[in-house]
């Protein structure tokens, strides 16, 4: 079942799983297209509070939300709305409601500082924000920096007209009627932020067509078990955030299309997670490697907790064979009893491009899988740029209908990332074997991944550079057993200036969210190694970092 597809000219590989039909559906229509088949089945449940909506209720709330946004909030098609929300059932309502109203959604990690959110929301000119009580202070502060701001939606809160606050409940209860626009599948509907191969986080423009194509690709008949099993009543427990492309499209939308019951928790705690395993008996878990490591190694997680689990999908950062094996040992199950699937993707590709098929040979554990349908790949040499054959490592290039339209307001970065032939330059180093299974071995881009979260070294560097004592700085990712990587800073001080490691740590901790903090440490050096073009030689620093 896993025969490689023929190699095309110039070592271009195509998917062994065929093609999808790229259609004209909009994301919200596609996601709820089969809802009559399971309208009274549970759709999305908060694993911490038990709050739950069935499919019919969710769809009705989506429609009312769209009308409220176009009505009382006066949001016009194409305008941006920013979500500052953890994984709660209302996330589904707000994001699909906004898209149904023709709005473009951008989402931020709710644990971001006001500075971080503000930078993103200003960049794409957000005109309304939706959030929960805990993050209202951030939302109100950020809203002051936004032009033509139209209002804040408070999930779980009441109207406060004087402050421009709309309670979600009262918006939905009022059942407003507005003129909703006719949507075009080529319209941008989502702008998540990614640092790409270099620099600060940039808005990634994804269209309905990009996102729907990817949903079709990951449901490829033959590649996945799911053919003919729709609506079977799977229960999915997921922690990866809905405000990241993997959580939003790869998990939320994917499971909505299939009519599955999505259980999530707004904040990971071992107790809540284990309670969900026991109470909901999930058949599928969506995880990142650090969560897999938690289950495999934490003494609180017992094999009895994992008895209902049939499939685990892991991705967003590298995981190891030995961690996968440790997990199976913990469950006392074989790979035939629990399928460990891996996927690889990027925000810039909606996100999935490589995935292990549901059935694959044991020896391929550790691979991120094969090309999903309608996707092509090339591996090009890092030095000369020529296309390489099997078992040769080089930069991974990808092409398919899921590749972004471009970066928001940044033509230069777009051109550097998606070339004139449509190839997405991933900045990841990979190779493939004879059966066209891919293996990620390294990264040429600057990106640091902490527990699956993106960390842009440029962003941390720019915060440290604000200190007058600092002459130069570079941040790199250092390997870490649980988080995968953690950031470490190399700082050059100006002559006769003093800063302690703690002071540098604190500068970052004040401005940026927790997973961006310098857990890899701070080292003071005489100079930062750079090439002739002034580009930081990060690999040299990584080697040095282990010694400092
Ligand atoms: N192994 C090694 C991996 C892997 C990886 C990603 O934040 P972004 O832009 O996007 C993501 C997307 C994750 C994802 C997509 C689809 C999927 O099926 C799945 O797993 C089930 C996960 O994280 O970061 C993109 C970068 O993250 C690294 C890699 O460097 C990539 O360019 N990355 N997945 N399996 N590294």
């Amino acid at each position: 079942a896993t025969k490689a597809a023929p190699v095309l000219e110039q070592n271009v590989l195509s998917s062994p799983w065929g093609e999808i039909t790229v259609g004209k559906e909009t994301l919200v229509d596609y996601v709820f297209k089969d809802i009559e088949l399971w309208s009274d089945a549970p759709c999305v449940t908060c694993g911490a509070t038990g709050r739950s909506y069935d499919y019919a209720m969710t769809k009705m709330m989506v429609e009312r939300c769209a009308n409220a946004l176009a009505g009382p909030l006066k949001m016009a098609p194409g305008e941006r709305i920013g979500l500052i929300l953890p994984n709660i059932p209302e996330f589904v309502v707000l994001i699909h409601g906004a898209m149904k109203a023709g709005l473009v959604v951008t989402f931020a990690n709710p644990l971001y500082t006001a500075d971080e959110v503000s930078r993103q929301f200003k960049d794409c000119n957000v005109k309304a924000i939706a959030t929960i009580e805990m993050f209202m202070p951030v939302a109100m502060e950020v809203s002051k920096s936004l032009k033509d701001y139209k209002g804040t939606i408070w999930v779980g809160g009441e109207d406060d007209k004087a402050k421009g606050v709309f309670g979600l409940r009262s918006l939905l209860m009022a059942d407003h009627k507005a003129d909703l626009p006719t949507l075009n599948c080529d319209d941008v509907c989502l702008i998540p932020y990614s640092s790409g191969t270099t620099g600060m986080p940039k808005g990634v423009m994804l269209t309905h067509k990009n996102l729907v194509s990817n949903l079709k690709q990951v449901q490829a008949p033959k590649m996945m078990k799911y053919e003919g099993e729709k609506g079977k009543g799977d229960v999915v427990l997921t922690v990866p955030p809905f405000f990241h492309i993997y959580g939003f499209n790869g998990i939320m939308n994917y499971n909505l299309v299939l009519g599955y019951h999505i259980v999530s928790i707004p904040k990971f705690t071992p107790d809540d997670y284990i309670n969900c395993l026991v109470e909901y008996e999930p058949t599928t878990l969506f995880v990142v490697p650090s969560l897999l490591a938690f289950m495999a190694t934490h003494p609180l997680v017992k094999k009895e907790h994992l008895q209902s689990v049939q499939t685990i999908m892991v991705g967003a950062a590298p995981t190891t064979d030995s961690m996968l094996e440790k997990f199976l040992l913990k469950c006392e199950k074989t790979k035939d009893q629990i399928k460990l699937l891996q996927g690889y993707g990027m925000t810039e590709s909606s996100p999935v491009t490589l995935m292990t098929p549901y059935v694959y040979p044991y020896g391929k554990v550790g691979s991120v899988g094969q090309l999903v349908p309608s996707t092509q790949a090339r591996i090009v040499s890092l030095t000369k740029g020529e296309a390489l054959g099997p078992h040769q490592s080089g930069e991974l290039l990808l092409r398919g209908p899921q590749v972004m339209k471009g970066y928001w307001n940044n033509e230069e970065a777009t051109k550097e990332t998606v070339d004139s032939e449509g190839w997405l330059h991933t900045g990841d180093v990979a190779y493939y074997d004879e059966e066209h299974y891919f293996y990620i071995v390294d990264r040429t881009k600057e990106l640091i991944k902490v527990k699956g979260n993106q960390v842009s070294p440029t962003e941390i560097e720019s915060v440290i550079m604000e200190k007058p004592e600092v002459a130069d700085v570079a941040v790199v990712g250092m390997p870490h057993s649980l988080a995968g990587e953690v950031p470490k800073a190399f700082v050059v001080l100006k002559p006769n200036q003093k800063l302690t490691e703690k002071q540098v740590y604190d500068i970052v901790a004040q401005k940026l969210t927790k997973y961006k903090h310098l857990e890899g440490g701070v080292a003071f050096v005489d100079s930062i190694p750079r090439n002739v073009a002034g580009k930081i030689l990060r690999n040299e620093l990584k080697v040095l970092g282990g010694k400092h």
Side-chain angles (χ1 to χ4, degrees):
T2 56
K3 241 179 87 205
V7 176
L8 306 177
E9 56 187 315
Q10 296 172 315
N11 287 335
V12 173
L13 270 62
S14 62
S15 169
W17 301 100
E19 303 282 320
I20 54 147
T21 325
V22 179
K24 296 206 172 300
E25 307 92 331
T26 61
L27 184 63
V28 51
D29 287 347
Y30 182 75
V31 160
F32 291 109
K33 70 185 168 57
D34 291 329
I35 186 172
E36 295 76 37
L37 300 176
W38 42 71
S39 57
D40 57 359
C43 175
V44 53
T45 297
C46 172
T49 62
R51 194 165 72 268
S52 184
Y53 304 119
D54 66 21
Y55 271 87
M57 179 70 157
T58 305
K59 187 164 183 239
M60 186 187 84
M61 289 164 79
V62 165
E63 274 159 21
R64 289 192 177 192
C65 180
N67 281 282
L69 285 162
L73 267 114
K74 301 194 178 68
M75 290 289 285
E79 289 186 329
R80 268 76 60 201
I81 179 169
L83 307 188
I84 311 177
L85 292 173
N87 285 14
I88 54 172
E90 292 76 11
F91 198 114
V92 181
V93 173
L94 279 152
I95 199 159
H96 284 298
M99 288 184 181
K100 198 171 176 63
L103 309 187
V104 180
V105 178
T106 190
F107 37 50
N109 186 330
L111 298 180
Y112 272 6
T113 62
D115 281 354
E116 287 167 295
V117 181
S118 194
R119 187 190 161 269
Q120 176 178 331
F121 285 10
K122 262 160 74 178
D123 183 65
C124 66
N125 194 5
V126 159
K127 294 196 172 158
I129 295 177
T131 193
I132 57 172
E133 176 162 22
M134 189 184 280
F135 309 113
M136 276 299 272
V138 171
M140 294 320 269
E141 189 178 336
V142 170
S143 68
K144 285 185 216 144
S145 67
L146 302 173
K147 264 196 227 137
D148 308 322
Y149 191 69
K150 297 187 177 176
T152 308
I153 298 177
W154 182 0
V155 182
E158 302 296 324
D159 290 347
D160 185 345
K161 290 274 154 55
K163 291 193 175 136
V165 173
F166 299 79
L168 178 65
R169 197 184 143 80
S170 69
L171 279 179
L172 299 182
M173 293 295 281
D175 195 9
H176 299 280
K177 292 284 175 259
D179 279 338
L180 295 182
T182 310
L183 307 177
N184 185 321
C185 65
D186 290 311
D187 289 342
V188 174
C189 60
L190 186 71
I191 308 189
Y193 274 65
S194 162
S195 62
T197 52
T198 181
M200 295 289 277
K202 295 172 274 295
V204 174
M205 294 191 288
L206 297 175
T207 64
H208 292 276
K209 200 187 265 174
N210 291 148
L211 293 159
V212 172
S213 293
N214 205 227
L215 290 171
K216 291 184 180 179
Q217 289 169 315
V218 294
Q219 293 173 79
K222 296 200 189 110
M223 192 168 190
M224 296 305 289
K225 68 162 178 171
Y226 296 108
E227 190 179 26
E229 291 195 38
K230 278 188 163 187
K232 191 170 63 67
D234 277 25
V235 180
V236 168
L237 175 60
T238 175
V239 172
F242 296 154
F243 54 79
H244 177 264
I245 193 69
Y246 169 37
F248 174 60
N249 213 34
I251 304 177
M252 179 208 285
N253 290 336
Y254 171 70
N255 288 294
L256 290 176
V257 173
L258 294 165
Y260 293 168
H261 179 192
I262 302 169
V263 179
S264 194
I265 44 180
K267 181 179 187 299
F268 177 81
T269 68
D271 282 348
D272 276 350
Y273 192 73
I274 293 166
N275 284 344
C276 285
L277 287 170
V278 174
E279 187 172 344
Y280 296 98
E281 301 186 326
T283 47
T284 305
L285 307 180
F286 285 84
V287 302
V288 293
S290 51
L291 182 56
L292 187 75
F294 160 78
M295 287 190 285
T297 58
H298 202 289
L300 275 177
V301 182
K302 308 271 186 245
K303 86 167 205 245
E304 296 76 50
H305 298 143
L306 298 163
Q307 291 313 299
S308 59
V309 179
Q310 296 164 10
T311 310
I312 298 196
M313 186 84 203
V314 52
T319 186
T320 58
D321 301 8
S322 72
M323 196 49 81
L324 296 169
E325 299 289 344
K326 260 192 203 151
F327 176 79
L328 288 174
L329 268 178
K330 172 70 126 318
C331 316
E332 293 180 22
K333 294 216 172 176
T334 65
K335 195 167 168 284
D336 293 329
Q337 293 165 314
I338 294 196
K339 298 283 176 207
L340 288 164
L341 305 182
Q342 279 219 75
Y344 161 93
M346 279 170 77
T347 309
E348 288 82 347
S349 58
S350 304
V352 190
T353 46
L354 292 159
M355 197 171 65
T356 48
Y358 195 66
V359 178
Y360 63 98
Y362 202 85
K364 306 293 184 190
V365 172
S367 161
V368 291
Q370 299 186 309
L371 290 164
V372 296
S374 295
T375 305
Q376 298 181 327
R378 277 162 72 200
I379 300 285
V380 300
S381 133
L382 296 178
T383 43
K384 297 197 188 109
E386 83 274 16
L388 302 172
H391 293 286
Q392 294 178 297
S393 293
E395 187 179 10
L396 171 64
L397 271 50
L398 292 159
R399 185 160 71 179
Q402 71 272 52
V403 171
M404 65 168 177
K405 190 170 172 185
Y407 290 114
W408 169 257
N409 267 345
N410 199 332
E411 226 168 277
E412 199 185 323
T414 304
K415 274 194 197 141
E416 273 168 23
T417 308
V418 185
D419 67 25
S420 57
E421 290 172 18
W423 290 105
L424 171 67
H425 293 238
T426 64
D428 288 309
V429 183
Y431 70 88
Y432 58 86
D433 64 17
E434 286 78 8
E435 286 88 30
H436 295 184
Y437 278 77
F438 284 73
Y439 300 79
I440 307 291
V441 292
D442 200 0
R443 221 182 267 142
T444 55
K445 59 184 165 192
E446 300 167 353
L447 175 68
I448 302 169
K449 276 254 154 159
V450 183
K451 293 191 176 175
N453 295 298
Q454 280 210 8
V455 176
S456 148
T458 313
E459 186 179 25
I460 302 178
E461 286 157 11
S462 67
V463 168
I464 298 173
M465 275 310 280
E466 283 172 20
K467 291 303 277 186
E469 296 89 347
V470 175
D472 200 1
V473 60
V475 171
V476 298
M478 300 304 296
H480 184 273
S481 58
L482 210 68
E485 286 179 290
V486 286
K488 170 166 188 162
F490 293 84
V491 179
V492 182
L493 292 174
K494 288 182 186 156
N496 306 321
Q497 296 291 329
K498 279 212 174 87
L499 277 179
T500 62
E501 288 173 26
K502 180 164 185 317
Q503 279 172 315
V504 178
Y505 181 95
D506 289 345
I507 299 164
V508 176
Q510 277 157 20
K511 294 261 175 157
L512 303 176
T513 193
K514 193 160 173 25
Y515 65 82
K516 300 178 186 174
H517 296 181
L518 296 169
E519 301 306 339
V522 176
F524 294 99
V525 290
D526 296 334
S527 66
I528 301 292
R530 290 176 187 275
N531 71 8
V532 282
K535 203 171 162 235
I536 297 169
L537 297 170
R538 291 177 198 272
N539 278 342
E540 284 190 18
L541 284 170
K542 279 191 188 183
V543 175
L544 189 67
K547 295 183 190 143
H548 255 270

